Amino acid sequence: MDRTAVVKVGAAASASVCALFGGVVLAQYIVAKKKRAGKKTRIIEMMPQFEKSTVHMRDPERVEQIICGLIKGGASKLQIITDFDMTLSKFAVNGKRCPTCHNIIDNCKLVTDECRQKLLQLKNKYYPIEIDPHLTMEEKYPFMVEWYFKSHSLLVEQRLQKEKLPQVVRESEAALRDGFEQFFDRLQQHDVPVFIFSAGLGDVLEEIIHQAGVYHPNVKVVSNFMDFDENGILRGFKGELIHVYNKHDGALRNTEYFKQMKEYCNIILMGDSLGDLSMADGAPNVENILKIGFLNDKEQDLGLKKLPD
């Protein structure tokens, strides 16, 4: 039976979440030790990540059950399914917003001032719709398609050069969350699959984690990838569009990947929007799934009432 727990995390607790897997491993060791000593303990009380004032749980007992299930299954049954922008990457540093994968390209030297202004106008129009708590995902869906289509068309007009992307990323203010090295390295050490499912720009995303030294063999990226011609000039985008509110469809398109992961029946899912809750929809044989949501700037908008039961 699929058991699900949901945890909402404020931006201040981001480093703690990146250390969650390490905490599970440590808790597994302590539980075994206390069990041998005949003592009972609560997992959540042993993991300071869950004691933060910025961490909200509707049902702590349910979270406790899921964590116990993750520990019992161990690393050999665990997989990570995660969003990227403002989930693995930082939302802000010292009060200043960090760029998303799209923002990195929008603000780079390869884009003209006129194009940059048009992209900003699109963001100012559509981003408030994306985070509007009074609209359903179904109502937001066509606006997201419109936004992505228009912005991607503008980028194609810029004839971006593939060879310039590494430099663009180096010169950007992109930043992964505190503790990312331990997070990625520990998962690689224990052969835990990491599925990054992003509505951003896949080429930029891969360059960020490559330059950070954490693009390990256990990491798979599904995103909006650029299509370059034989001269390395952007001419379009590959495959089906992925935006923040069609990840359910994208998950189902990746059922072959999830079938290969069928032995990994326990999931830690991380995201920063309600659309991210469906990223694991293509995964079979799910026994336990812990869903972690980053509140970022949407804490008051989403509210705890948005949490599933």
Side-chain angles (χ1 to χ4, degrees):
M1 180 178 179
D2 175 6
R3 297 189 298 169
T4 304
V6 182
V7 180
K8 284 283 183 175
V9 183
S14 62
S16 296
V17 172
C18 280
L20 175 62
F21 178 73
V24 169
V25 172
L26 177 61
Q28 187 174 17
Y29 167 76
I30 296 176
V31 166
K33 186 175 181 180
K34 290 201 172 188
K35 187 175 181 181
R36 288 194 297 269
K39 298 179 180 179
K40 293 184 178 181
T41 186
R42 281 171 52 87
I43 301 301
I44 292 178
E45 294 172 354
M46 295 161 47
M47 300 177 67
Q49 293 86 354
F50 291 101
E51 299 297 321
K52 302 283 187 178
S53 62
T54 49
V55 175
H56 307 280
M57 293 175 281
R58 170 172 287 183
D59 187 349
E61 292 300 325
R62 193 176 186 187
V63 173
E64 172 85 8
Q65 292 174 2
I66 300 304
I67 293 293
C68 288
L70 297 179
I71 292 173
K72 183 178 179 180
S76 63
K77 292 187 177 181
L78 179 66
Q79 64 173 306
I80 309 296
I81 300 176
T82 179
D83 175 49
F84 184 77
D85 286 322
M86 297 184 287
T87 298
L88 292 180
S89 66
K90 288 185 177 182
F91 174 72
V93 174
N94 296 325
K96 182 180 179 181
R97 285 285 298 269
C98 293
T100 64
C101 291
H102 276 100
N103 295 154
I104 289 172
I105 295 298
D106 296 352
N107 299 321
C108 75
K109 299 175 182 178
L110 304 182
V111 172
T112 65
D113 290 339
E114 180 183 1
C115 177
R116 188 175 296 109
Q117 186 61 34
K118 289 180 179 179
L119 290 167
L120 180 59
Q121 290 173 354
L122 291 174
K123 179 182 178 182
N124 291 339
K125 176 181 178 179
Y126 291 106
Y127 184 66
I129 297 175
E130 178 186 331
I131 63 173
D132 189 334
H134 305 295
L135 296 176
T136 67
M137 287 192 287
E138 291 73 17
E139 290 171 325
K140 296 177 182 182
Y141 193 108
F143 293 104
M144 296 302 101
V145 173
E146 205 172 271
W147 182 11
Y148 277 65
F149 176 77
K150 290 180 178 179
S151 62
H152 286 180
S153 296
L154 286 171
L155 293 181
V156 171
E157 292 176 4
Q158 296 298 293
R159 295 177 57 79
L160 301 177
Q161 299 170 271
K162 183 177 182 178
E163 64 179 18
K164 298 291 182 64
L165 291 183
Q167 180 181 352
V168 167
V169 170
R170 278 193 295 271
E171 294 176 349
S172 74
E173 296 181 337
L176 295 175
R177 290 191 184 267
D178 296 339
F180 75 89
E181 289 175 317
Q182 178 189 12
F183 176 75
F184 279 101
D185 291 348
R186 186 68 65 85
L187 293 170
Q188 162 69 1
Q189 178 185 348
H190 291 275
D191 296 318
V192 175
V194 179
F195 184 77
I196 301 178
F197 197 179
S198 173
L201 297 174
D203 307 81
V204 176
L205 188 167
E206 289 189 330
E207 189 60 36
I208 292 172
I209 59 177
H210 172 73
Q211 291 186 17
V214 293
Y215 199 172
H216 301 312
N218 63 317
V219 175
K220 177 178 175 61
V221 176
V222 172
S223 186
N224 297 302
F225 282 93
M226 299 175 174
D227 183 21
F228 297 93
D229 65 19
E230 61 276 7
N231 296 314
I233 303 298
L234 179 63
R235 62 183 178 187
F237 286 80
K238 301 175 182 177
E240 298 289 333
L241 171 68
I242 300 174
H243 60 77
V244 68
Y245 292 119
N246 74 342
K247 289 191 173 181
H248 166 77
D249 300 333
L252 296 182
R253 284 197 299 271
N254 284 277
T255 52
E256 284 304 314
Y257 167 83
F258 288 124
K259 285 180 181 178
Q260 296 173 23
M261 300 292 115
K262 64 182 180 181
E263 300 301 321
Y264 299 90
C265 54
N266 292 330
I267 297 172
I268 295 177
L269 184 148
M270 302 190 297
D272 75 315
S273 77
L274 293 176
D276 291 332
L277 291 173
S278 63
M279 292 190 297
D281 285 0
N285 308 323
V286 176
E287 293 185 5
N288 301 285
I289 178 167
L290 179 68
K291 296 183 178 181
I292 301 171
F294 289 84
L295 297 169
N296 293 323
D297 66 339
K298 298 187 274 291
E299 180 166 357
Q300 294 179 343
D301 287 342
L302 290 178
L304 295 182
K305 65 181 180 180
K306 292 289 188 178
L307 289 176
D309 293 331

